Amino acid sequence: MPPKPTKRATKKTTAKKTTPKKSAKKKAAAKPLPANRTPNAKPLPAPPTGHGVAKLEIKPERIQSILKILHETYPDVECALVHTSPWQLLVATILSAQCTDARVNMVTPRLFATYPTPQAMAKAPIESIEELIRTTGFYHNKAKSIQGAGRVISEDFGGKVPETMAELLTIPGAARKTANVVLGVAYGKAEGVVVDTHVFRVSRRLGLTRSETPQAVEQDLMKVIPQDRWIQFSHELIHHGRQICEARKPKCAACPLEQLCHAPDKTWHS
């Protein structure tokens, strides 16, 4: 007998009902905008490499607006370096190069307890000074500077930190930035503008200068900022740079100066 034909298996295809997938996460509620923001304000695309240098904008009315906002935002700002004398301020400022003020404030209490006067610092073993300031970085050079500062102040200025720019610049480790800090904070004398890394960056972003060295930036700022604001302006810009106008990613959405700023590396535009 011939074999019976085999039946081919047939698959029944049934249409699957598709149901919309539920989102695993609920949509986050929109955060309220800061008071000085408009609803159509948008974050900008990723900023270009490097810090922004804005077009120069030094009209007197714009300068006054910037100064007014800074003063209202940071009304009681002061030097962040803890000190009780011009000598301690001088040493702390020298140590603050390439180092945070917070770190300096951790180091100086023990340093000043061990070597409290310029004379004591001048006679201190260099290895001992280095060990006490090691965590501030570049401690070999800084130890030489503050020991040399102690010696010059002891021998040439009778143990008292001088009160003029010309004399301060003869002290080891005291360039114009350090001299301006001591004159402004310790003696209330405005002979220049303190230009640290924050002042350098923020003043260029704000279009107050386009110069490329701290010395040139200081000269530019002295021309456009009233002299009676030099000391406080530096403190305000330093704090603004730390809290808002950061180097890598400025917090433009929270910046009270945002509408006056046209820096190319802004992260927010209203």
Side-chain angles (χ1 to χ4, degrees), residues 165-245:
M165 176 67 72
E167 290 174 322
L168 279 167
L169 291 179
T170 67
I171 295 174
R176 277 196 66 93
K177 173 204 158 187
T178 300
N180 278 323
V181 170
V182 173
L183 289 172
V185 176
Y187 297 126
K189 294 184 176 183
E191 290 199 28
V193 178
V194 175
V195 179
D196 73 342
T197 180
H198 302 294
V199 175
F200 182 85
R201 177 179 70 255
V202 178
S203 60
R204 281 157 50 95
R205 278 178 171 163
L206 285 173
L208 303 179
T209 175
R210 291 181 62 85
S211 294
E212 298 182 356
T213 66
Q215 295 80 7
V217 167
E218 181 189 3
Q219 295 304 310
D220 290 344
L221 293 176
M222 289 168 67
K223 293 173 185 174
V224 299
I225 305 298
Q227 187 170 2
D228 62 355
R229 289 285 276 111
W230 287 356
I231 297 172
Q232 204 63 15
F233 171 77
S234 296
H235 292 323
E236 292 162 357
L237 227 59
I238 289 170
H239 278 70
H240 188 67
R242 286 179 180 148
Q243 297 179 18
I244 302 292
C245 198

Coordinates of all heavy atoms in Angstrom, one line a residue, residues 165-245:
M165 N 52.7 100.7 48.0 CA 52.9 99.7 47.0 C 54.4 99.5 46.7 O 54.9 98.3 46.6 CB 52.2 100.1 45.7 CG 52.4 99.2 44.5 SD 51.6 97.6 44.7 CE 49.9 98.0 44.5
A166 N 55.1 100.6 46.6 CA 56.5 100.5 46.2 C 57.3 99.6 47.2 O 58.1 98.8 46.9 CB 57.1 101.9 46.1
E167 N 57.0 99.9 48.5 CA 57.7 99.1 49.6 C 57.3 97.6 49.6 O 58.1 96.7 49.8 CB 57.5 99.8 50.9 CG 58.2 101.1 51.1 CD 57.8 101.8 52.4 OE1 56.6 101.7 52.8 OE2 58.7 102.5 53.0
L168 N 56.0 97.4 49.4 CA 55.5 96.0 49.5 C 56.1 95.2 48.3 O 56.3 94.0 48.5 CB 54.0 96.0 49.4 CG 53.2 96.3 50.7 CD1 51.8 96.6 50.5 CD2 53.4 95.1 51.7
L169 N 56.3 95.8 47.2 CA 56.9 95.1 46.1 C 58.3 94.7 46.3 O 58.9 93.9 45.5 CB 56.7 95.9 44.8 CG 55.3 96.1 44.3 CD1 55.2 96.9 43.0 CD2 54.6 94.7 44.0
T170 N 59.0 95.2 47.3 CA 60.4 94.7 47.6 C 60.4 93.5 48.5 O 61.4 92.9 48.7 CB 61.1 95.8 48.3 OG1 60.6 96.0 49.7 CG2 61.1 97.1 47.6
I171 N 59.2 93.0 48.9 CA 59.1 91.9 49.8 C 59.0 90.6 49.0 O 58.2 90.5 48.1 CB 57.9 92.0 50.8 CG1 58.1 93.2 51.7 CG2 57.7 90.7 51.6 CD1 56.9 93.5 52.5
P172 N 59.8 89.6 49.3 CA 59.8 88.3 48.6 C 58.3 87.7 48.6 O 57.7 87.7 49.6 CB 60.7 87.4 49.4 CG 61.7 88.3 50.0 CD 60.9 89.6 50.3
G173 N 57.9 87.3 47.4 CA 56.6 86.7 47.3 C 55.4 87.7 47.1 O 54.3 87.3 46.9
A174 N 55.7 89.0 47.2 CA 54.6 90.0 47.1 C 54.6 90.7 45.8 O 55.3 91.7 45.6 CB 54.8 91.0 48.3
A175 N 53.9 90.2 44.8 CA 53.6 90.9 43.6 C 52.5 91.8 43.8 O 52.0 92.0 44.9 CB 53.4 89.9 42.5
R176 N 52.0 92.4 42.7 CA 50.9 93.4 42.8 C 49.6 92.9 43.4 O 49.0 93.6 44.2 CB 50.6 94.0 41.4 CG 51.6 95.1 41.0 CD 51.0 96.0 39.9 NE 49.8 96.7 40.2 CZ 49.8 98.0 40.7 NH1 51.0 98.6 40.8 NH2 48.7 98.6 41.0
K177 N 49.3 91.7 43.1 CA 48.0 91.1 43.7 C 48.1 91.0 45.2 O 47.2 91.5 45.9 CB 47.8 89.7 43.1 CG 46.6 89.0 43.8 CD 46.7 87.5 43.7 CE 45.9 86.8 44.7 NZ 46.1 85.3 44.8
T178 N 49.2 90.5 45.7 CA 49.4 90.4 47.1 C 49.5 91.8 47.8 O 48.9 92.0 48.8 CB 50.7 89.6 47.4 OG1 50.6 88.3 46.9 CG2 51.0 89.5 48.9
A179 N 50.2 92.7 47.1 CA 50.3 94.0 47.7 C 49.0 94.7 47.7 O 48.6 95.4 48.7 CB 51.3 94.9 46.8
N180 N 48.1 94.5 46.7 CA 46.8 95.1 46.7 C 45.9 94.6 47.8 O 45.1 95.3 48.4 CB 46.1 94.9 45.3 CG 46.6 95.9 44.3 OD1 46.8 97.1 44.6 ND2 46.7 95.5 43.0
V181 N 46.0 93.3 48.0 CA 45.2 92.6 49.1 C 45.6 93.3 50.4 O 44.7 93.7 51.2 CB 45.5 91.1 49.1 CG1 44.8 90.5 50.4 CG2 44.9 90.5 47.9
V182 N 46.9 93.4 50.7 CA 47.4 93.9 52.0 C 47.0 95.4 52.1 O 46.4 95.8 53.2 CB 48.9 93.7 52.1 CG1 49.4 94.4 53.4 CG2 49.3 92.2 52.2
L183 N 47.2 96.1 51.1 CA 46.9 97.6 51.2 C 45.4 97.8 51.4 O 44.9 98.6 52.2 CB 47.3 98.3 49.9 CG 48.8 98.4 49.8 CD1 49.2 99.0 48.4 CD2 49.4 99.4 50.8
G184 N 44.6 97.0 50.6 CA 43.1 97.2 50.6 C 42.5 96.7 51.9 O 41.7 97.4 52.5
V185 N 42.8 95.5 52.3 CA 42.2 94.8 53.4 C 42.7 95.3 54.7 O 42.0 95.6 55.7 CB 42.3 93.3 53.3 CG1 41.7 92.6 54.5 CG2 41.6 92.8 52.0
A186 N 44.1 95.3 54.9 CA 44.7 95.7 56.1 C 44.7 97.2 56.4 O 44.6 97.6 57.5 CB 46.1 95.1 56.2
Y187 N 44.9 98.0 55.3 CA 45.1 99.4 55.5 C 44.0 100.3 54.9 O 44.0 101.5 55.0 CB 46.5 99.8 55.0 CG 47.6 99.2 55.7 CD1 48.6 98.4 55.0 CD2 47.8 99.2 57.1 CE1 49.7 97.8 55.7 CE2 48.8 98.6 57.8 CZ 49.8 97.9 57.1 OH 50.8 97.3 57.7
G188 N 43.1 99.6 54.2 CA 42.0 100.4 53.5 C 42.5 101.4 52.5 O 41.8 102.4 52.2
K189 N 43.6 101.0 51.8 CA 44.1 101.9 50.8 C 43.9 101.3 49.4 O 44.3 100.1 49.2 CB 45.6 102.1 51.0 CG 46.0 102.9 52.3 CD 47.5 103.2 52.4 CE 47.8 104.0 53.6 NZ 49.2 104.3 53.7
A190 N 43.3 102.1 48.5 CA 43.0 101.6 47.1 C 44.1 102.1 46.2 O 43.9 103.2 45.6 CB 41.6 102.0 46.7
E191 N 45.2 101.3 46.0 CA 46.2 101.7 45.1 C 46.1 100.9 43.8 O 46.9 101.1 42.9 CB 47.6 101.6 45.7 CG 47.9 102.6 46.8 CD 49.4 102.7 47.1 OE1 50.2 102.4 46.2 OE2 49.7 103.0 48.3
G192 N 45.2 99.9 43.8 CA 45.0 99.1 42.6 C 43.9 98.2 42.8 O 43.2 98.2 43.8
V193 N 43.6 97.3 41.8 CA 42.6 96.3 41.9 C 43.2 94.9 42.0 O 44.0 94.6 41.2 CB 41.7 96.4 40.6 CG1 40.6 95.3 40.7 CG2 41.1 97.8 40.5
V194 N 42.7 94.1 43.0 CA 43.2 92.8 43.1 C 42.7 92.0 41.9 O 41.4 91.9 41.7 CB 42.7 92.1 44.4 CG1 43.0 90.7 44.5 CG2 43.2 92.9 45.6
V195 N 43.6 91.4 41.2 CA 43.2 90.5 40.0 C 43.7 89.1 40.3 O 44.8 88.8 40.0 CB 43.7 91.1 38.7 CG1 43.3 90.2 37.6 CG2 43.2 92.5 38.5
D196 N 42.8 88.3 40.9 CA 43.1 86.9 41.0 C 42.5 86.1 39.9 O 42.0 86.7 38.9 CB 42.6 86.3 42.4 CG 41.1 86.2 42.5 OD1 40.4 86.8 41.6 OD2 40.6 85.5 43.3
T197 N 42.4 84.8 39.9 CA 41.9 84.0 38.8 C 40.4 84.3 38.6 O 39.9 84.3 37.4 CB 42.1 82.5 39.0 OG1 41.6 81.8 37.9 CG2 41.4 82.1 40.3
H198 N 39.6 84.6 39.6 CA 38.2 84.9 39.5 C 38.0 86.3 38.9 O 37.1 86.4 37.9 CB 37.5 84.8 40.8 CG 37.6 83.5 41.5 ND1 37.1 82.3 41.0 CD2 38.3 83.1 42.6 CE1 37.4 81.3 41.8 NE2 38.1 81.8 42.8
V199 N 38.7 87.3 39.4 CA 38.5 88.6 38.8 C 38.9 88.6 37.3 O 38.3 89.3 36.5 CB 39.3 89.6 39.6 CG1 39.3 91.0 39.0 CG2 38.8 89.7 41.0
F200 N 40.0 88.0 37.0 CA 40.5 87.9 35.6 C 39.4 87.3 34.7 O 39.1 87.8 33.7 CB 41.8 87.0 35.6 CG 42.4 86.9 34.3 CD1 43.3 87.8 33.8 CD2 42.1 85.8 33.4 CE1 43.9 87.7 32.5 CE2 42.7 85.7 32.2 CZ 43.6 86.6 31.7
R201 N 38.8 86.2 35.1 CA 37.9 85.5 34.3 C 36.5 86.3 34.2 O 36.0 86.5 33.1 CB 37.6 84.1 34.9 CG 36.5 83.3 34.2 CD 36.3 81.9 34.9 NE 35.6 82.0 36.2 CZ 36.2 81.8 37.3 NH1 37.5 81.5 37.4 NH2 35.5 81.9 38.5
V202 N 36.0 86.7 35.3 CA 34.7 87.4 35.3 C 34.7 88.7 34.6 O 33.8 89.0 33.8 CB 34.1 87.5 36.7 CG1 32.8 88.2 36.7 CG2 34.0 86.1 37.4
S203 N 35.8 89.5 34.8 CA 35.8 90.8 34.2 C 36.0 90.7 32.7 O 35.4 91.5 31.9 CB 37.0 91.6 34.7 OG 38.3 90.9 34.5
R204 N 36.6 89.6 32.2 CA 36.7 89.4 30.7 C 35.3 88.9 30.2 O 34.9 89.3 29.1 CB 37.8 88.4 30.4 CG 39.2 89.0 30.5 CD 40.3 88.0 30.7 NE 40.3 86.9 29.9 CZ 41.0 86.7 28.7 NH1 41.7 87.7 28.3 NH2 40.9 85.6 28.0
R205 N 34.6 88.1 30.9 CA 33.3 87.6 30.5 C 32.3 88.8 30.4 O 31.4 88.8 29.6 CB 32.8 86.5 31.4 CG 33.3 85.1 31.1 CD 32.8 84.1 32.2 NE 33.1 82.8 31.8 CZ 33.1 81.7 32.6 NH1 32.7 81.9 33.8 NH2 33.4 80.5 32.1
L206 N 32.5 89.7 31.3 CA 31.6 90.9 31.4 C 31.9 92.0 30.4 O 31.2 92.9 30.3 CB 31.5 91.5 32.8 CG 30.8 90.7 33.9 CD1 31.0 91.3 35.2 CD2 29.3 90.6 33.5
G207 N 33.0 91.8 29.7 CA 33.4 92.8 28.7 C 34.0 94.0 29.3 O 34.0 95.1 28.6
L208 N 34.5 93.9 30.5 CA 35.2 95.1 31.1 C 36.6 95.2 30.6 O 37.3 96.2 30.8 CB 35.1 95.0 32.6 CG 33.7 94.8 33.2 CD1 33.8 94.7 34.8 CD2 32.9 96.0 32.8
T209 N 37.2 94.1 30.1 CA 38.5 94.1 29.6 C 38.7 92.9 28.6 O 37.9 92.0 28.7 CB 39.6 94.0 30.7 OG1 40.9 93.8 30.2 CG2 39.3 92.7 31.6
R210 N 39.6 93.0 27.7 CA 40.0 91.9 26.8 C 41.4 91.6 26.9 O 42.0 90.8 26.1 CB 39.6 92.3 25.4 CG 38.1 92.3 25.1 CD 37.8 92.7 23.7 NE 38.3 91.6 22.8 CZ 37.6 90.5 22.4 NH1 36.4 90.3 23.0 NH2 38.1 89.6 21.6
S211 N 42.1 92.1 27.9 CA 43.5 91.9 28.1 C 43.8 90.5 28.5 O 42.9 89.8 29.1 CB 44.1 92.9 29.1 OG 44.0 94.2 28.6
E212 N 45.1 90.0 28.3 CA 45.4 88.6 28.5 C 46.4 88.4 29.6 O 46.8 87.2 29.8 CB 46.0 88.1 27.2 CG 45.0 88.2 26.0 CD 45.5 87.6 24.7 OE1 46.7 87.2 24.7 OE2 44.7 87.5 23.8
T213 N 46.7 89.4 30.4 CA 47.5 89.2 31.6 C 46.9 89.9 32.8 O 46.2 90.9 32.6 CB 48.9 89.7 31.4 OG1 48.9 91.2 31.3 CG2 49.6 89.2 30.2
P214 N 47.1 89.3 34.0 CA 46.5 90.0 35.2 C 47.0 91.5 35.3 O 46.2 92.3 35.7 CB 47.1 89.1 36.4 CG 47.3 87.8 35.7 CD 47.8 88.1 34.3
Q215 N 48.2 91.8 35.0 CA 48.7 93.1 35.1 C 47.9 94.1 34.2 O 47.5 95.2 34.6 CB 50.2 93.2 34.8 CG 51.1 92.4 35.7 CD 51.1 90.9 35.5 OE1 50.6 90.4 34.5 NE2 51.8 90.2 36.4
A216 N 47.7 93.6 32.9 CA 47.0 94.4 32.0 C 45.5 94.6 32.3 O 44.9 95.6 32.2 CB 47.1 93.9 30.6
V217 N 44.9 93.5 32.8 CA 43.5 93.5 33.3 C 43.4 94.5 34.4 O 42.4 95.3 34.4 CB 43.0 92.1 33.7 CG1 41.7 92.2 34.5 CG2 42.9 91.2 32.5
E218 N 44.3 94.5 35.3 CA 44.2 95.5 36.5 C 44.2 96.9 35.9 O 43.4 97.7 36.4 CB 45.4 95.3 37.4 CG 45.3 96.2 38.6 CD 46.5 96.3 39.5 OE1 47.5 95.5 39.2 OE2 46.5 97.0 40.5
Q219 N 45.1 97.2 35.0 CA 45.2 98.6 34.5 C 43.9 98.9 33.8 O 43.4 100.1 33.9 CB 46.4 98.7 33.5 CG 47.7 98.5 34.2 CD 47.9 99.5 35.3 OE1 47.7 100.7 35.2 NE2 48.4 99.0 36.4
D220 N 43.3 98.0 33.0 CA 42.0 98.3 32.4 C 40.9 98.5 33.4 O 40.1 99.5 33.2 CB 41.6 97.1 31.5 CG 42.5 96.9 30.3 OD1 43.2 97.9 29.9 OD2 42.5 95.8 29.7
L221 N 40.8 97.7 34.4 CA 39.8 97.9 35.4 C 39.9 99.2 36.2 O 38.9 99.9 36.5 CB 39.8 96.7 36.4 CG 39.4 95.4 35.8 CD1 39.5 94.3 36.9 CD2 38.0 95.4 35.3
M222 N 41.2 99.6 36.4 CA 41.4 100.9 37.1 C 40.9 102.1 36.3 O 40.6 103.1 36.9 CB 42.9 101.0 37.4 CG 43.4 100.1 38.5 SD 45.2 100.0 38.7 CE 45.6 101.7 39.2
K223 N 40.8 101.9 35.0 CA 40.3 103.0 34.1 C 38.8 103.1 34.1 O 38.2 104.2 33.9 CB 40.8 102.8 32.7 CG 42.3 102.9 32.6 CD 42.8 102.5 31.2 CE 44.3 102.5 31.0 NZ 44.7 102.0 29.7
V224 N 38.1 102.0 34.4 CA 36.6 102.0 34.2 C 35.9 101.9 35.5 O 34.7 102.2 35.6 CB 36.2 100.9 33.2 CG1 36.8 101.1 31.9 CG2 36.5 99.5 33.8
I225 N 36.5 101.4 36.6 CA 35.9 101.3 37.9 C 36.3 102.5 38.8 O 37.5 102.7 38.9 CB 36.3 100.0 38.6 CG1 36.0 98.8 37.7 CG2 35.6 99.8 39.9 CD1 34.6 98.6 37.3
P226 N 35.4 103.2 39.4 CA 35.7 104.3 40.3 C 36.7 103.8 41.4 O 36.5 102.7 41.9 CB 34.4 104.7 40.8 CG 33.4 104.3 39.8 CD 33.9 103.0 39.3
Q227 N 37.6 104.6 41.7 CA 38.7 104.2 42.7 C 38.1 103.9 44.1 O 38.6 103.0 44.7 CB 39.7 105.3 42.9 CG 40.9 104.9 43.7 CD 42.0 105.9 43.7 OE1 41.9 107.0 43.1 NE2 43.1 105.6 44.4
D228 N 37.0 104.6 44.4 CA 36.4 104.3 45.8 C 35.7 102.9 45.8 O 35.2 102.5 46.8 CB 35.5 105.4 46.2 CG 34.3 105.6 45.2 OD1 34.2 104.9 44.2 OD2 33.4 106.4 45.6
R229 N 35.6 102.2 44.6 CA 35.0 100.9 44.6 C 36.0 99.8 44.3 O 35.7 98.6 44.2 CB 33.9 100.9 43.5 CG 32.7 101.7 43.8 CD 31.8 101.0 44.8 NE 30.9 100.0 44.2 CZ 31.0 98.7 44.3 NH1 31.9 98.2 45.1 NH2 30.2 97.9 43.7
W230 N 37.3 100.2 44.1 CA 38.3 99.2 43.8 C 38.4 98.0 44.8 O 38.4 96.9 44.4 CB 39.7 99.8 43.6 CG 39.9 100.7 42.4 CD1 39.0 100.9 41.4 CD2 41.0 101.5 42.1 NE1 39.5 101.7 40.5 CE2 40.8 102.1 40.9 CE3 42.2 101.7 42.7 CZ2 41.7 103.0 40.3 CZ3 43.1 102.6 42.1 CH2 42.9 103.2 40.9
I231 N 38.4 98.3 46.1 CA 38.6 97.3 47.1 C 37.4 96.4 47.1 O 37.5 95.2 47.0 CB 38.9 97.9 48.5 CG1 40.2 98.8 48.4 CG2 38.9 96.9 49.5 CD1 40.4 99.6 49.7
Q232 N 36.2 97.0 47.3 CA 35.0 96.2 47.4 C 34.7 95.4 46.1 O 34.2 94.3 46.1 CB 33.8 97.0 47.8 CG 32.7 96.3 48.5 CD 33.2 95.6 49.8 OE1 34.2 96.0 50.4 NE2 32.4 94.7 50.3
F233 N 34.9 96.1 45.0 CA 34.6 95.5 43.7 C 35.4 94.2 43.5 O 34.9 93.2 43.0 CB 35.0 96.4 42.5 CG 35.0 95.8 41.2 CD1 33.8 95.6 40.5 CD2 36.2 95.5 40.5 CE1 33.8 95.1 39.2 CE2 36.2 94.9 39.2 CZ 35.0 94.7 38.6
S234 N 36.7 94.1 44.0 CA 37.5 92.9 43.9 C 36.8 91.8 44.7 O 36.7 90.7 44.3 CB 38.9 93.2 44.3 OG 39.5 94.1 43.5
H235 N 36.5 92.1 46.0 CA 35.8 91.1 46.8 C 34.5 90.6 46.2 O 34.3 89.4 46.2 CB 35.5 91.7 48.2 CG 36.7 92.1 49.0 ND1 37.8 91.3 49.0 CD2 36.9 93.1 49.9 CE1 38.7 91.9 49.9 NE2 38.2 93.0 50.4
E236 N 33.7 91.5 45.6 CA 32.5 91.1 45.0 C 32.7 90.2 43.8 O 32.0 89.1 43.7 CB 31.7 92.3 44.6 CG 31.2 93.1 45.8 CD 30.8 94.6 45.4 OE1 31.0 95.0 44.3 OE2 30.4 95.3 46.3
L237 N 33.6 90.5 43.0 CA 33.9 89.7 41.8 C 34.5 88.4 42.2 O 34.2 87.3 41.5 CB 34.8 90.5 40.8 CG 34.3 90.5 39.4 CD1 32.9 91.1 39.3 CD2 35.3 91.3 38.5
I238 N 35.3 88.3 43.2 CA 35.9 87.1 43.6 C 34.8 86.1 44.1 O 34.7 84.9 43.8 CB 36.9 87.3 44.8 CG1 38.2 87.9 44.2 CG2 37.3 86.0 45.5 CD1 39.2 88.4 45.2
H239 N 33.9 86.6 45.0 CA 32.8 85.8 45.4 C 31.8 85.4 44.3 O 31.3 84.3 44.3 CB 32.0 86.5 46.6 CG 32.7 86.4 47.9 ND1 33.9 87.0 48.2 CD2 32.4 85.7 49.0 CE1 34.3 86.8 49.4 NE2 33.4 86.0 50.0
H240 N 31.6 86.3 43.4 CA 30.7 86.0 42.3 C 31.3 84.9 41.4 O 30.6 84.0 41.0 CB 30.5 87.2 41.4 CG 29.5 87.0 40.4 ND1 28.1 86.9 40.6 CD2 29.6 87.0 39.0 CE1 27.5 86.7 39.5 NE2 28.3 86.8 38.5
G241 N 32.6 84.9 41.2 CA 33.3 83.9 40.5 C 33.3 82.5 41.1 O 33.2 81.5 40.5
R242 N 33.3 82.5 42.5 CA 33.3 81.3 43.2 C 31.9 80.7 43.2 O 31.7 79.5 43.1 CB 33.8 81.5 44.7 CG 35.3 81.7 44.8 CD 35.6 82.0 46.3 NE 37.0 82.2 46.5 CZ 37.5 83.0 47.4 NH1 36.7 83.6 48.2 NH2 38.8 83.1 47.5
Q243 N 30.9 81.5 43.4 CA 29.5 81.0 43.6 C 28.7 80.9 42.3 O 27.9 79.9 42.2 CB 28.8 82.0 44.6 CG 29.4 82.0 46.0 CD 28.7 83.0 46.9 OE1 27.6 83.4 46.6 NE2 29.4 83.4 47.9
I244 N 28.9 81.7 41.4 CA 28.0 81.7 40.2 C 28.8 81.6 38.9 O 28.6 80.6 38.1 CB 27.2 83.1 40.1 CG1 26.4 83.2 41.4 CG2 26.4 83.1 38.8 CD1 25.3 82.3 41.5
C245 N 29.8 82.5 38.6 CA 30.5 82.5 37.4 C 31.7 81.6 37.4 O 32.8 82.0 37.3 CB 30.9 83.9 37.0 SG 31.3 84.2 35.3

